[in-house]
């Protein structure tokens, strides 16, 4: 079996040798072997590919030298696989480039013939090309996936759940072969067809013009950790295309699928692809449940959308048990029975695991609904919970128009502050104090919770004042929020939700950082559950 990674790989030529060919899509839990052979900060796709090759004992590999990381991968694999061939990819799309690529394909055929000891089957190749059918898209609205490759199951999931065309224009996308001219030199025509497909980002080609041929509802742009190329193009697309764009960063470890789908769901809700309507009775009571990583919250509304009761409890070892308990307490406070509740909508990371909910909606949409209900002047929401932080932008009607999330790191979250409180041996209430009179202006340089913990321990060893350290920690959280705000754009009014909104010290430092006043709801932890209850009550417009 020959493993490959790039859409410019001559897959049909390999098949003409009667060989099995497999695209390498890393499905790994760690970079254990790869990090022993390369630097930890190398491209995560390169490390994932190397780890996958070593774990699965793939002994024949074809690469395309599209970037420095892949060239480094080739150097590492030289003495670790039986057959390795690197195809040189031209950086332009013209007649000369097609001739160069044609020569590269002929060289690959020669090298593989020599390695295998058998001849390339031209007739078999011709039949394989005749069987190839390019994917055709109609003119209906569609979602484009760009940037680094997505796992096929994510794209399939979007198509099946939302019944919308998804155009895969990533490195391994659908637009690989469209029209192969038959003629005397079929390999040259094949080379030309590949070169004239949707161009690689590293080519000097106008990808923006190509995108304008589609009726795009939105773009999901996948970037790779430690690779700046994709971030540059994402910024360019955002500046020049009037299309909603979601940016995702992938490290190709197999536990990030849930986080990716959570962001995709929120994005598709915001652009109107994922409908959130529920069947609503005219009378009764409506409940929203927010199953978060730290707390589980429930809100009950009456038919006039007045808050009747709410509950906040810690999320225990089993999210479902916590959801039932929050449900029970909210019912008890409202003096209601289960049969009095007409509809339940769940949100939060545990939303899909709540069997008694009638609909699940992402927390992005729910926080937007809840915040706008509490104050219709709110245009920017800062939500800092136990394990993640996010900034959400609303339009004048309260619809989500943009959002950014920090959900792969606990930096700047409630968990970050909990850890620091334990290190300082103070209560979380002490951490929430506003520090105006300080002796020393301390800056916590590391945003990583682990490294910041070490930094705080070092400051304690230097006999620094605890109040100065606390102020420095609160300022570091404010800096994280400011960076998220910079990505979506600042627009007043601001509202802060989530448990950290109860930390007056953090709120004070954020206000100083952005030079704006922040609205704090009467109970900032229930805003997501409130939004879910509003959706349950029929507020979908």
């Amino acid at each position: 079996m020959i493993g490959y990674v790039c859409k410019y790989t001559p897959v049909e030529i390999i098949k003409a040798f009667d060989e099995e060919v497999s695209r390498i899509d890393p499905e790994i839990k760690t970079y254990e072997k790869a990090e022993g052979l390369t630097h930890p900060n190398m491209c995560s796709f390169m490390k994932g590919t190397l780890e996958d090759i070593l774990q699965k004992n793939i002994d024949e590999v074809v690469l395309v030298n599209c970037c420095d990381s892949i060239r480094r991968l080739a150097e590492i694999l030289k003495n670790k696989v039986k057959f390795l061939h690197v195809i040189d990819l031209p950086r332009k799309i013209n007649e000369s480039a097609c001739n160069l690529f044609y020569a590269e394909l002929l060289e690959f055929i020669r090298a593989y013939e020599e390695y295998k000891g058998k001849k390339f089957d031209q007739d078999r190749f011709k039949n394989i090309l005749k069987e190839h059918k390019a994917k055709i898209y109609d003119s209906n609205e569609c979602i484009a996936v760009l940037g680094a490759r997505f796992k096929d199951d994510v794209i399939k999931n979007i198509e099946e759940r939302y019944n919308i065309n998804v155009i895969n224009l990533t490195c391994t996308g659908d637009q690989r072969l469209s029209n192969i001219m038959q003629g005397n030199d079929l390999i040259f025509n094949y080379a030309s067809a590949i070169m004239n497909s949707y161009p690689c980002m590293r080519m000097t080609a106008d990808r923006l013009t190509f995108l304008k041929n589609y009726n795009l509802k939105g773009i999901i742009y996948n970037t790779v950790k430690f690779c700046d190329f994709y971030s540059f193009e994402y910024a360019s697309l955002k500046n020049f295309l009037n299309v909603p764009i979601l940016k995702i960063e992938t490290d190709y470890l197999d536990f990030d699928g849930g986080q990716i789908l959570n962001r995709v769901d929120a994005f598709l809700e915001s652009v109107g692809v994922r409908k959130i309507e529920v069947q609503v009775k005219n009378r009764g009571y409506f409940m929203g449940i927010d199953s978060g990583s730290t707390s589980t919250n429930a809100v009950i509304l009456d038919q006039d959308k007045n808050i009747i009761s709410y509950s906040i409890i810690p999320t225990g070892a089993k999210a479902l048990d916590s959801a039932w308990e929050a449900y029970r307490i909210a019912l008890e406070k409202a003096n209601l029975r289960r049969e009095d509740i007409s509809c339940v909508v769940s949100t939060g990371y545990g939303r899909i695991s709540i069997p008694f909910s009638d609909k699940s909606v992402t927390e992005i949409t729910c926080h937007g609904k809840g915040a706008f209900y509490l104050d219709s002047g709110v245009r920017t929401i800062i939500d800092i919970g136990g394990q993640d932080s996010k900034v959400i932008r609303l339009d004048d009607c309260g619809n989500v128009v943009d959002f950014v999330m920090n959900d792969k790191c606990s930096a700047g979250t409630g968990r970050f502050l909990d850890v620091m409180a334990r290190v300082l041996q103070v209560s979380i209430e002490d951490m929430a104090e506003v520090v105006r009179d300080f002796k020393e202006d301390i800056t916590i340089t590391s945003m990583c919770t682990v490294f910041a913990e070490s930094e705080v321990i070092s400051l304690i060893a230097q006999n620094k004042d605890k109040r100065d350290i606390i102020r420095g920690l609160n300022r570091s959280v404010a800096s994280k929020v400011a960076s998220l705000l910079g990505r979506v754009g600042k627009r007043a009014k601001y509202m802060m939700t989530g448990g950290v909104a109860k930390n007056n010290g953090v709120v004070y430092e954020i206000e100083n950082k952005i030079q704006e006043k922040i609205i704090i709801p009467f109970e900032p932890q229930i805003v997501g559950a409130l939004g879910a209850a509003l959706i349950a009550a029929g507020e979908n417009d």
Side-chain angles (χ1 to χ4, degrees):
M1 181 188 76
I2 298 183
Y4 76 99
V5 296
C6 178
K7 73 172 186 176
Y8 290 97
T9 305
V11 173
E12 290 75 15
I13 287 177
I14 297 171
K15 290 179 179 178
F17 277 101
D18 200 21
E19 293 289 334
E20 183 182 351
V21 60
S22 176
R23 192 179 74 198
I24 299 170
D25 286 317
E27 295 180 1
I28 57 173
K29 297 186 182 299
T30 68
Y31 302 122
E32 183 178 352
K33 294 180 180 179
E35 289 197 343
L37 296 168
T38 187
H39 193 279
N41 287 350
M42 284 295 289
C43 163
S44 55
F45 173 72
M46 177 272 207
K47 288 192 298 183
T49 300
L50 176 57
E51 190 75 27
D52 208 49
I53 290 170
L54 296 176
Q55 284 187 12
K56 294 178 180 177
N57 295 315
I58 299 173
D59 56 11
E60 297 180 16
V61 178
V62 178
L63 300 175
V64 174
N65 67 340
C66 54
C67 67
D68 288 340
S69 291
I70 296 299
R71 284 189 280 271
R72 176 64 183 137
L73 176 62
E75 287 294 319
I76 295 171
L77 290 176
K78 265 183 184 176
N79 300 316
K80 297 191 177 301
V81 296
K82 294 178 181 177
F83 176 81
L84 174 68
H85 190 88
V86 180
I87 293 173
D88 189 12
L89 181 66
R91 294 298 186 265
K92 294 184 178 181
I93 303 176
N94 54 32
E95 187 176 349
S96 296
C98 291
N99 282 319
L100 288 170
F101 192 62
Y102 169 59
E104 286 293 313
L105 297 189
L106 292 179
E107 174 57 25
F108 167 73
I109 291 172
R110 186 205 61 75
Y112 202 65
E113 284 180 334
E114 182 178 330
Y115 167 71
K116 277 295 184 179
K118 62 180 180 182
K119 288 291 184 182
F120 172 67
D121 192 332
Q122 182 87 18
D123 291 334
R124 181 176 174 81
F125 177 60
K126 187 181 295 185
N127 290 332
I128 290 170
L129 293 182
K130 284 180 180 178
E131 293 170 2
H132 173 80
K133 295 207 182 337
K135 192 169 182 179
I136 305 298
Y137 294 98
D138 55 35
S139 59
N140 293 330
E141 287 184 332
C142 56
I143 295 292
V145 180
L146 273 79
R149 73 186 61 199
F150 256 119
K151 291 183 178 178
D152 288 341
D153 59 348
V154 175
I155 295 173
K156 185 178 179 182
N157 185 296
I158 296 171
E159 289 179 322
E160 290 179 349
R161 289 200 295 156
Y162 307 127
N163 193 29
I164 189 169
N165 282 334
V166 179
I167 307 171
N168 183 0
L169 299 176
T170 65
C171 295
T172 52
D174 303 323
Q175 302 294 318
R176 183 175 169 275
L177 292 175
S178 55
N179 183 27
I180 303 172
M181 294 174 57
Q182 300 294 320
N184 294 331
D185 198 334
L186 190 55
I187 295 176
F188 177 80
N189 294 334
Y190 171 73
S192 297
I194 294 178
M195 285 299 297
N196 284 283
S197 63
Y198 183 65
C200 172
M201 177 186 60
R202 294 170 180 83
M203 290 181 171
T204 56
D206 186 1
R207 285 155 59 96
L208 286 171
T209 299
F210 186 94
L211 288 174
K212 291 175 182 177
N213 294 325
Y214 292 101
N215 185 9
L216 294 178
K217 186 75 172 177
I219 294 173
I220 301 172
Y221 197 97
N222 190 26
T223 62
V224 178
K225 192 174 182 180
F226 300 125
C227 180
D228 291 334
F229 279 100
Y230 294 107
S231 294
F232 291 150
E233 186 183 49
Y234 163 77
S236 175
L237 291 175
K238 191 152 189 175
N239 287 334
F240 294 106
L241 280 181
N242 187 26
V243 177
I245 303 178
L246 170 68
K247 180 184 178 183
I248 291 175
E249 184 180 85
T250 302
D251 61 9
Y252 293 97
L253 297 175
D254 67 358
F255 55 74
D256 64 359
Q259 293 170 333
I260 288 175
L261 284 176
N262 190 51
R263 291 189 179 200
V264 168
D265 282 351
F267 177 68
L268 296 180
E269 286 171 359
S270 70
V271 300
V273 171
R274 185 172 191 251
K275 303 299 182 183
I276 58 174
E277 290 87 352
V278 294
Q279 296 297 318
V280 179
K281 297 180 181 178
N282 292 328
R283 303 184 62 82
Y285 298 90
F286 309 93
M287 179 179 284
I289 293 186
D290 183 358
S291 177
S293 61
T294 304
S295 69
T296 300
N297 319 307
V299 171
I300 297 178
L301 302 179
D302 65 15
Q303 62 194 30
D304 296 318
K305 299 179 184 176
N306 299 309
I307 299 175
I308 302 302
S309 73
Y310 63 86
S311 62
I312 302 170
I313 67 166
T315 299
K318 290 187 177 180
L320 179 55
D321 291 347
S322 301
W324 275 117
E325 183 64 6
Y327 186 44
R328 183 192 66 77
I329 293 172
L331 286 173
E332 188 176 278
K333 284 183 176 181
N335 196 26
L336 296 173
R337 301 166 300 170
R338 287 181 60 184
E339 50 265 35
D340 294 324
I341 304 298
S342 298
C343 183
V344 178
V345 169
S346 59
T347 189
Y349 281 121
R351 66 187 182 277
I352 61 174
S353 303
I354 300 176
F356 56 86
S357 71
D358 299 290
K359 183 81 174 178
S360 66
V361 181
T362 66
E363 61 269 29
I364 302 294
T365 297
C366 289
H367 275 272
K369 293 284 186 188
F372 196 76
Y373 168 88
L374 295 172
D375 189 328
S376 60
V378 168
R379 295 296 176 268
T380 305
I381 303 163
I382 301 166
D383 175 59
I384 307 180
Q387 295 278 38
D388 71 14
S389 54
K390 58 185 79 75
V391 172
I392 306 166
R393 276 277 311 280
L394 304 180
D395 63 16
D396 294 342
C397 298
N399 301 308
V400 175
V401 293
D402 202 359
F403 67 92
V404 291
M405 297 178 68
N406 172 46
D407 61 1
K408 281 198 167 187
C409 174
S410 62
T413 66
R415 184 67 63 197
F416 174 86
L417 294 170
D418 286 342
V419 169
M420 300 311 154
R422 286 198 297 270
V423 174
L424 289 167
Q425 295 183 340
V426 298
S427 68
I428 197 66
E429 288 74 24
D430 291 331
M431 292 287 289
E433 290 183 5
V434 176
V435 180
R436 289 187 174 89
D437 301 322
F438 55 93
K439 298 177 182 178
E440 185 178 354
D441 191 2
I442 291 177
T443 298
I444 306 298
T445 58
S446 177
M447 285 308 302
C448 170
T449 302
V450 175
F451 293 148
E453 181 181 1
S454 299
E455 197 170 340
V456 169
I457 291 171
S458 176
L459 290 169
I460 293 171
Q462 297 170 42
N463 292 315
K464 300 293 184 181
D465 189 287
K466 283 187 180 181
R467 284 173 57 80
D468 292 346
I469 298 174
I470 289 171
R471 176 175 177 270
L473 289 166
N474 290 342
R475 288 174 64 206
S476 73
V477 175
S479 295
K480 187 68 177 176
V481 169
S483 69
L484 292 176
L485 280 168
R487 288 165 57 186
V488 298
K490 298 175 183 177
R491 187 182 178 193
K493 289 181 177 179
Y494 295 86
M495 178 181 285
M496 190 166 169
T497 63
V500 178
K502 296 179 178 181
N503 186 313
N504 294 326
V506 170
V507 175
Y508 175 78
E509 295 298 340
I510 295 175
E511 288 180 334
N512 277 348
K513 182 73 71 173
I514 67 175
Q515 292 295 297
E516 293 279 359
K517 196 67 182 171
I518 296 174
I519 300 165
I520 306 298
F522 72 95
E523 181 44 80
Q525 284 183 266
I526 68 166
V527 175
L530 170 60
L534 288 165
I535 293 170
E539 187 165 309
N540 303 310
D541 300 324

